[in-house]
Amino acid sequence: MKYAVKRIAMLLLTMVIVSFLAFAAFDLISGNPAEIMLGTQATPEKVAALEEAMGLNRPFLVRYGEWLIGFFTGDLGTSYSYHQPVWDLIAPKVLVTLCLSVLSFLLIAVISIPLGLRSAGRAGGRLDGLSTALNQLCMAVPPFFTGILLTWVFSTILRWFTHGKFPGLSEDFWGAVKYMLFAAVSIAIPRIAMTGRMMRSTVQAEMQKDYVRTAISRGNDRSSVLYRHVLKNALVPVVTFLAQTMAEIVAGSIVVEQVFAIPGLGRLLVASISNRDYPVVQAIVVILALWVVLAGTVADLINQRIDPRLRLGGGS
Amino acid sequence: MRQRNGYLTAGLILTAFLAALIILGYFWTPYDPSAMAVGPKFDAPSLAHLMGTDNFGRDIFSRVLKGAGTTFAIAIATVAIGAVCGTAVGALTGYFGGVVDEALMRFNDALTAFPSILLALVIISILGPGKKYNVILALGLVFIPSFARVTRTAFASLRDVNYVKSARLMGASRGRILVVHILPNTMSVLLPAITIGFNNAVLAEASMSYLGIGVTPPDASLGYMLSEAQSMLTMAPWYAISTGLVIILLVFGVGLIGEGLQRRGREVA
């Protein structure tokens, strides 16, 4: 319990640092928003008036504080290019990206953990070298290329889904999930390879330990030792690894949303970077960061449950 | 006797082959990569056009050679920035320790929690999208923390081994100890880290250029070519497939080298 409180305090601290950096970076370098918004119609008087209206002439820390409060109350400022409140632009897209990430995550967890366990049992076999090579090959496949191939096969040739026609989540939930499944597969393939490999080497290291030999020498068969004892111990680093995978899923979704024309945060982020629409970029970056840091915290809390030893040392 | 290391050999052969093609591409390509109508439009792969032609009748093989050259150069420049700066930071913090070390490592923890693409996108949106040197700078900066982390651990663990202690007793300067005595012994972790960094750089550059915020024309890069290829998927699927395969083979080859190096490191240990 004490640990959980400490971990959540750390989460908040990280987020304050991250949001501060994001705010400062865009504030320092993005130039004068009033000028950007006015575009070609900018005259010194108009700029000054808009600066006054937007509160740009106040001290940096005051504006950061207001932005931070705004983040929790849903007031993230106004987009330069869409002239709409940023929150209204982002809100419908958060759910889409969230669904895509969860879907990819489930694919990775459900496939890679059993795969890693099984291949660890067969280490050193004749197919071992082949499976390592196959693993390296899967890791080398960029998600957007898989996406393009899947579009070609399943949309152009087989017509299982129509590329570019994403059914809205609220209108046709299962249709949307089916559409996103192809995107999730593209994100998941290299990650499954990495997680499976990680799982495999952890299990192998664990199988060398004394307690495994003891358990086997007392007449337990190998697979029951594997599932009852080794799995639990091997899971801790894998859970941590899966949390890092969440960061990579977020990265993958930025690109893959573009490939499949899925209207999520990633697409908006890319469009906003090209348009130099900083309030939108800032807000999305902080939301994605929050998502990643949250995943790390949850992983740590789960590991506490799996391995009580971590509670004493405070964990790392 | 050392065991045969198949991964290292296979990876080196594949990478050397691709590198030779890419270097050749800097000087000579079968056709001018941007010349239009060197062949019929949407011509399927043949002996005259190894990877077919695109909507303007441009030779895709020549374009892929050029594009791979750009991707390759960016990846190497990026890794160089990341490895040199990262190793410097890792060496200093790992060897000297102290408050600066603690602070930098916490900062590092926060940074590595981020997906590299997201961080690179933030930097590029500040520097200005669509320019080659900004891509290199953004990705280079992004890769510094991971190199710093790897080398810091290595330097910290070698700080008090006997040969370093005796060098210190003999009055060797700190710089000499770091560079001459410790650095060569960190190669077993640094080299695999470089191969992983190279692959991440290739994939990150390709993704960014695919999104249109990395390298943009007139500089061709494999990522941008894939986004072009996607729009002609029905007419010329070979464009996307051959471009994607080049990325995969490049990353696969270097990945095998990394795997081989890691196994060799384990055997020696």
Side-chain angles (χ1 to χ4, degrees), chain A residues 173-205:
Chain A
F173 180 74
W174 291 111
V177 168
K178 194 183 122 196
Y179 190 101
M180 280 195 288
L181 196 62
F182 294 98
V185 169
S186 343
I187 297 175
I189 288 176
R191 296 291 138 192
I192 289 175
M194 278 176 216
T195 317
R197 182 183 142 102
M198 156 87 197
M199 181 81 199
R200 180 192 138 108
S201 64
T202 318
V203 170
Q204 270 175 352

Side-chain angles (χ1 to χ4, degrees), chain A residues 219-237:
Chain A
N220 297 295
D221 68 88
R222 259 181 93 83
S223 70
S224 81
V225 174
L226 197 64
Y227 288 103
R228 275 178 43 210
H229 302 287
V230 173
L231 181 60
K232 206 171 169 185
N233 283 306
L235 226 43
V236 171

Side-chain angles (χ1 to χ4, degrees), chain A residues 128-149:
Chain A
D128 206 38
L130 192 70
S131 81
T132 308
L134 193 68
N135 205 290
Q136 284 285 347
L137 194 64
C138 286
M139 282 196 251
V141 182
F144 60 98
F145 180 60
T146 321
I148 292 174
L149 285 187

